[in-house]
Amino acid sequence: MRPFALGLGVSVAFLLVILVAIRRRALRDQMAVLWLAVSVAMLAMGVALPFHLLDHIARAVGVRYGSDLLFGAAVVFLVLLVLQLSVAVARLHARTTRLAQELGILLMDDRPLRPSQAGPDNSPVA
Amino acid sequence: MTATSSSPSALEVTIPADRRRMEPLDSGQLCVIVPAFNEAASVAGVVSDIRTAIPACRVVVVDDGSTDETALRAASAGAAVLSLPVNLGIGGAVQAGYRYALRSGCLVAVQVDGDGQHDPDEIARLLEPVLDGSADLVVGSRWLGRGDYAAPSNRRVGMRILARIVSWRTGQHFTDTTSGFRAAGPSVLALFAHEYPADFPEVETLILAAKRHLRICEVPVRMHARAHGRSSIAGLRSLYYMLRVLLVLLLGQPGRGHG
């Protein structure tokens, strides 16, 4: 019974964290839906643990152990997620670049250079 | 290059407008773009040399988030200074210059590095093919017999490989694909303002321009060994550089960095 309680506890806690994050608008729409789905799936797996549901599904798709199926699926999911995030970062990078260029051009007309303005904030754009 | 006009009768429409000799530029129509990142030691000299060599032009120094006095020194040497709020890297900086040039009504732009490697006395040679209408993009090559620029042999091997591949991809012979000493006519100026690769743009832009059927030519120029600092591409970074550039060259689709 202990793994059951542990699994359930973790998935409920995870769901709570996601809900709080959504309430605080720390997660944007798309990602909020995704993580909500993930936490619900975790909860469902936790609840279904005693019925060996995962093992049945695994056997149905030709995988011997439920845990293997879970790990496999998790790896695929995480790789796709990271890929999606890399694409999103690249898109943000392009936007940041564009904005910095436009800002630079605007400031040229607007604010002739004075000695006190040397040394801009040089934080890197990641 | 084919003209896309529906009227075949007039000879003029079969010749793109920029294939003819350009009208003489007035001083507001030529922009010299000087990308500079922490080049306080050399930038003022570069700016004043440019102003001496080409009195009738706008000089814009793109200060790529420098932490030293690059912007001030450039401004006191008489350049317009475009200060980027964050460091964008060479591609982002140069493109900012092209955007500024396009927006302020320039027709022709020249790129000169802020580190003193490019000799402003050579700008006139770069401009000639653009002004007489024979090229849209002119690249100053240090390997065509002018000057005595020397590079370490490993660098030279890398440069030669890149030149080979670009020549193969474009069907045109190139000797110096990594040169950032360039002149751009109206069509290239507009293209680069709109689309410019981010990280290692020199090689990629050649492919980009060639794909758009813009006419590229090389002219021999003199280059100096850099006066201060060292190349941003050294050691392991040069391996990374080669990898990145080869990837772009072989996979095509250049210039999608900043749309």
Side-chain angles (χ1 to χ4, degrees):
Chain A
M1 221 42 197
R2 180 150 296 165
F4 178 65
L6 187 67
L8 213 57
V10 168
S11 49
V12 167
F14 188 67
L15 182 60
L16 283 178
V17 169
I18 298 298
L19 288 175
V20 169
I22 292 175
R23 255 182 75 84
R24 291 187 181 166
R25 295 171 202 279
L27 278 172
R28 299 279 308 267
D29 304 336
Q30 264 183 359
M31 287 295 157
V33 172
L34 179 73
W35 285 117
L36 208 58
V38 169
S39 55
V40 168
M42 273 172 70
L43 193 61
M45 273 187 295
V47 172
L49 206 57
F51 310 107
H52 303 287
L53 187 64
L54 202 56
D55 286 323
H56 290 306
I57 297 175
R59 239 164 276 138
V61 297
V63 177
R64 183 172 299 189
Y65 300 109
S67 51
D68 286 357
L69 179 68
L70 188 64
F71 282 126
V75 166
V76 170
F77 171 76
L78 289 176
V79 166
L80 288 180
L81 183 69
V82 170
L83 188 64
Q84 147 70 23
L85 288 177
S86 300
V87 171
V89 167
R91 198 181 307 135
L92 287 177
H93 186 89
R95 288 183 187 175
T96 312
T97 299
R98 179 72 189 267
L99 288 173
Q101 290 170 338
E102 296 297 332
L103 183 62
I105 293 172
L106 284 175
L107 288 180
M108 267 177 106
D109 308 330
D110 206 58
R111 191 194 64 181
L113 198 75
R114 282 192 302 271
S116 61
Q117 283 157 346
D121 169 27
N122 199 30
S123 51
V125 194
Chain B
M1 196 191 249
T2 52
T4 51
S5 172
S6 53
S7 124
S9 56
L11 179 66
E12 290 216 338
V13 297
T14 63
I15 303 170
D18 54 357
R19 183 158 289 195
R20 286 164 298 172
R21 175 163 263 283
M22 291 180 74
E23 301 286 320
L25 297 174
D26 69 43
S27 64
Q29 291 175 320
L30 172 61
C31 182
V32 179
I33 301 167
V34 184
F37 175 55
N38 289 342
E39 303 282 7
S42 55
V43 75
V46 172
V47 170
S48 57
D49 286 353
I50 293 170
R51 283 161 56 90
T52 309
I54 313 279
C57 71
R58 286 166 200 262
V59 181
V60 56
V61 170
V62 184
D63 164 28
D64 190 12
S66 297
T67 48
D68 64 2
E69 296 202 320
T70 298
L72 273 177
R73 303 260 173 100
S76 45
V81 178
L82 196 170
S83 277
L84 295 169
V86 290
N87 179 259
L88 293 182
I90 181 72
V94 168
Q95 190 185 29
Y98 278 112
R99 285 207 171 151
Y100 166 79
L102 185 69
R103 207 159 303 170
S104 47
C106 294
L107 294 177
V108 175
V110 178
Q111 262 175 259
V112 179
D113 281 358
D115 61 8
Q117 224 183 337
H118 302 156
D119 187 338
D121 287 336
E122 306 283 279
I123 293 176
R125 301 172 66 89
L126 282 184
L127 281 173
E128 195 40 44
V130 169
L131 297 181
D132 73 16
S134 60
D136 302 303
L137 176 62
V138 182
V139 180
S141 169
R142 67 206 106 167
W143 309 125
L144 288 174
R146 222 176 123 68
D148 48 3
Y149 183 91
S153 59
N154 57 337
R155 274 179 105 79
R156 217 160 42 215
V157 168
M159 288 168 163
R160 208 164 282 167
I161 294 173
L162 291 178
R164 269 298 153 72
I165 298 176
V166 172
S167 304
W168 165 63
R169 280 293 304 260
T170 57
Q172 184 185 343
H173 182 66
F174 284 101
T175 58
D176 194 354
T177 53
T178 57
S179 161
F181 194 19
R182 299 177 168 194
S187 43
V188 169
L189 171 51
L191 172 65
F192 286 174
H194 178 68
E195 198 172 326
Y196 205 79
D199 289 330
F200 308 114
E202 290 84 7
V203 180
E204 230 179 305
T205 44
L206 292 177
I207 308 275
L208 178 64
K211 278 219 168 125
R212 302 295 171 95
H213 304 290
L214 295 161
R215 294 158 303 152
I216 310 168
C217 78
E218 282 189 335
V219 300
V221 293
R222 200 168 42 212
M223 281 196 202
H224 305 300
R226 57 176 53 241
H228 304 273
R230 48 199 300 252
S231 170
S232 58
I233 302 167
L236 262 185
R237 225 178 121 71
S238 54
L239 264 182
Y240 173 66
Y241 174 89
M242 280 299 282
L243 253 174
R244 276 286 306 269
V245 174
L246 285 177
L247 208 62
V248 169
L249 285 180
L250 300 176
L251 293 182
Q253 284 291 342
R256 299 207 41 195
H258 309 141

